[in-house]
Amino acid sequence: MSAKTARAGSKAQLAPAASKKASANALWGGRFEGAPDALMEAINASIAFDKRLYAHDIAGSKAHAQMLVEQGIITAQDGRAIAKGLETILQEIESGAFEFKPALEDIHMNIEARLTALIGDAAGRLHTARSRNDQVATDLKLWVRDALDRLDTGLQAMQTALIGQAEAHADTIMPGFTHLQTAQPVTFGHHMLAYVEMFGRDRARARDCRARLNENPLGAGALAGTSFPIDRDMTAAALGFDRPAANSLDAVSDRDFALEFLGLAAIAAIHLSRLAEEIVLWSSAAFGFVTLSDAFSTGSSMMPQKRNPDAAELVRAKAGRILGALNGLLVVLKGLPMAYSKDLQEDKEPVFDACDTLELMLAAMTGMLGDLHVEKDAMRIAAEAGYSTATDLADWLVRELGMPFREAHQTTGQIVKLAERQGCRLDELGLEAMREVEEGINSGVFDVLSTENSLASRTSFGGAAPNNVRLAIIAAKEKYL
C-alpha cells in the first residue's frame, strides 16, 4: 500500500463523512479558506474529554456576559438572551439531549455554536473581551476547585472509618514493625490513628492548593488583556474567586494548580497504597490479623478455598495511574514558552483520570475499613512471639541498674539470644537464667516484660499506651471530623 493510499484510508476511518470542499471552521476560520484535514480534526479535538467542563464553562460565560452588560459593552437585551440560552444549553446537556460535535473541537465552541443556533447574533457578542485561552484556564480552575472539595469530603470519610476502628481497638495488642520485623507492641487503634494523621496532611494540602488556585484568569484574554473596560473583580466575585489573576500572561499559561492537584493526589494515593498493602499482608494466612468481608473479597476460579483481597490490591495498583498522570503533565509543561500553546490541551485528561481514580480508591478503602474484622488473638500472639518487649528490658537496665544504654542494649541482646535457644518468650525466661548474663537483675524486671505493661508504659505524647490512644481519638475527632 502506498503512503498516499494509507493516508486516504486513515482519513476515511477518522471522518468518513468529511468533504474535501467543506468550508473553514465557522468560529475561527476567517483567516482560512480550506477545511482542516481529518487527521488535524482528530488530533485537535478535545470535546471527548473536555465536555466534563460544561457546567463550569456555562457558569463562566454567565458571569462574563453579566459583567459585559454592567460595563455597557453589550446591551441588557443581549445579556438576557445569552443568559437564557446558556440555561437552555445547561438543561439540554444534563438531560442528555445535547449533541457534542467533534468538528467543533471543544466544549467552548460546542456551547457557542448551540447558543448561536438558539439566539442568533447575540451569541457572537458573548466572546467580546475574552479568549478561549482565559476561558479554558477559568473552566479548569473551577473544575479542580470542585474536585478538591469532593476530595476533602472523601478523605474525611476515610478518617471517620479509621477513627471508628481506632475506638473499637484502642486496647487491641498487635506487633509494631520496623523492616517488617517485630519491633515493639502497639495497639491496632494506635496504628489506625497513624493513617488518620497521614490523611489529615492530605486534606491540608488540598486546602492549600485550593487557596492558591483561587485567582480568576477570566479577562486575561489570549495573553495580553483587552482594550474593553471590563471589570475583572466582578467576574472573580461572581465565580467565587478571591481575586483576579495579576498577570495576563501567567493567567492563561499557569497550570501550577493542575500540577499541585496531581501532586497531592499522588501523595494521597501513596498513603492509600501503603494501607492497602498492609491489608493484603494482614489478611494473608501467614499473618491472619484481619478478615475482609465478602463485599470486598473475591474467590478463585480454580481454588475454592481462596479469599482474595482484590479490592485492596487494586487500590495499591491504581496509585500507579495517578503517579503517571503527574509525571505526564510535568513532561508536557517542562519545555513550554509563554504563553498559551496547544500542548496545554493535554492537561485535562490526566487531571480527570487521576481525580476519578482517587475518588474510587477512597470509596473502596473506606468501605473495606468499615467492615474489616480484626482477629485479636492472632495479633496478640504475634506481638508476644517476637521479643517485642526487648527494648523495655534494656530501658529497665538503664533505670534500675544505671547501665549506659549501649551496654544495656548489648546485655539485652544476649538475654534474647538465651530465650531463643530455650524457645520461650522473655517473660517466660527464668530469673536465674537472666542473672547468668547480668547478675544485678532482680524480679522487678518482670514488671516490664509483658506486652500489656510494655504498652502501658508508652505514655510520652504520641505514644502507643491505650490511655494515650483514647485521648488521641478525642483529639482527632475535634480536629478532623
Side-chain angles (χ1 to χ4, degrees), residues 73-325:
I73 299 171
I74 65 173
T75 67
Q77 182 180 356
D78 283 344
R80 286 192 295 272
I82 289 169
K84 183 178 179 180
L86 289 170
E87 189 59 37
T88 297
I89 293 169
L90 180 63
Q91 293 171 4
E92 289 177 348
I93 294 174
E94 292 185 339
S95 70
F98 189 92
E99 181 185 0
F100 293 102
K101 299 177 180 179
L104 293 173
E105 296 185 16
D106 56 32
I107 188 62
H108 324 299
M109 284 187 167
N110 270 265
I111 288 175
E112 186 171 334
R114 178 60 179 150
L115 187 64
T116 301
L118 287 171
I119 68 172
D121 290 344
R125 297 186 175 93
L126 173 60
H127 209 55
T128 306
R130 78 174 183 185
S131 162
R132 281 192 294 173
N133 295 356
D134 61 343
Q135 194 177 353
V136 68
T138 303
D139 291 359
L140 189 57
K141 274 196 171 184
L142 291 172
W143 192 95
V144 170
R145 193 175 69 186
D146 286 349
L148 287 166
D149 292 341
R150 294 195 307 273
L151 177 58
D152 185 74
T153 300
L155 286 166
Q156 187 180 55
M158 167 67 68
Q159 289 178 305
T160 300
L162 288 162
I163 290 171
Q165 287 287 4
E167 283 187 299
H169 297 286
D171 296 283
T172 299
I173 297 172
M174 70 174 291
F177 297 99
T178 61
H179 309 280
L180 206 56
Q181 303 295 312
T182 299
Q184 293 178 287
V186 296
T187 72
F188 190 68
H190 190 64
H191 199 109
M192 292 294 96
L193 289 179
Y195 282 103
V196 171
E197 294 303 316
M198 293 162 73
F199 292 118
R201 292 192 293 274
D202 293 328
R203 292 179 68 188
R205 276 183 281 271
R207 289 193 297 271
D208 289 346
C209 178
R210 194 188 194 284
R212 252 187 304 279
L213 73 76
N214 212 34
E215 296 184 343
N216 185 21
L218 197 58
L223 77 164
T226 179
S227 59
F228 289 95
I230 62 173
D231 185 346
R232 294 188 63 209
D233 288 301
M234 180 180 173
T235 53
L239 294 170
F241 287 110
D242 295 330
R243 63 191 71 84
N247 182 283
S248 60
L249 280 169
D250 180 58
V252 298
S253 63
D254 165 40
R255 293 299 184 273
D256 287 2
F257 65 95
L259 286 177
E260 279 198 66
F261 176 79
L262 291 174
L264 68 91
I267 296 172
I270 292 300
H271 292 159
L272 286 164
S273 182
R274 293 181 69 181
L275 179 53
E277 168 67 5
E278 295 205 294
I279 289 175
V280 171
L281 289 172
W282 293 340
S283 63
S284 68
F287 277 77
F289 286 2
V290 302
T291 301
L292 290 170
S293 71
D294 291 352
F296 292 96
S297 303
T298 64
S300 166
S301 63
M302 182 178 184
M303 296 167 284
Q305 83 281 9
K306 294 292 293 299
R307 178 188 288 273
N308 297 325
D310 282 10
E313 291 172 353
L314 287 166
V315 166
R316 184 176 61 186
K318 286 180 183 296
R321 290 179 64 155
I322 298 176
L323 295 173

Side-chain angles (χ1 to χ4, degrees), residues 324-401:
L326 171 59
N327 287 330
L329 187 55
L330 284 167
V331 173
V332 167
L333 294 173
K334 73 174 182 62
L336 294 188
M338 290 288 184
Y340 184 87
S341 298
K342 195 69 176 205
D343 309 54
L344 292 176
Q345 183 167 287
E346 296 297 311
D347 60 357
K348 296 166 201 64
E349 286 182 286
V351 169
F352 294 159
D353 184 71
C355 182
D356 292 346
T357 301
L358 185 57
E359 287 179 348
L360 179 58
M361 292 167 70
L362 278 168
M365 185 60 73
T366 301
M368 273 186 279
L369 285 170
D371 60 1
L372 190 73
H373 178 72
V374 176
E375 305 291 349
K376 297 182 181 181
D377 291 343
M379 284 188 173
R380 183 187 180 93
I381 290 169
E384 292 175 342
Y387 304 105
S388 61
T389 59
T391 303
D392 299 274
L393 173 55
D395 289 345
W396 185 89
L397 293 172
V398 171
R399 283 195 311 270
E400 301 300 323
L401 303 186

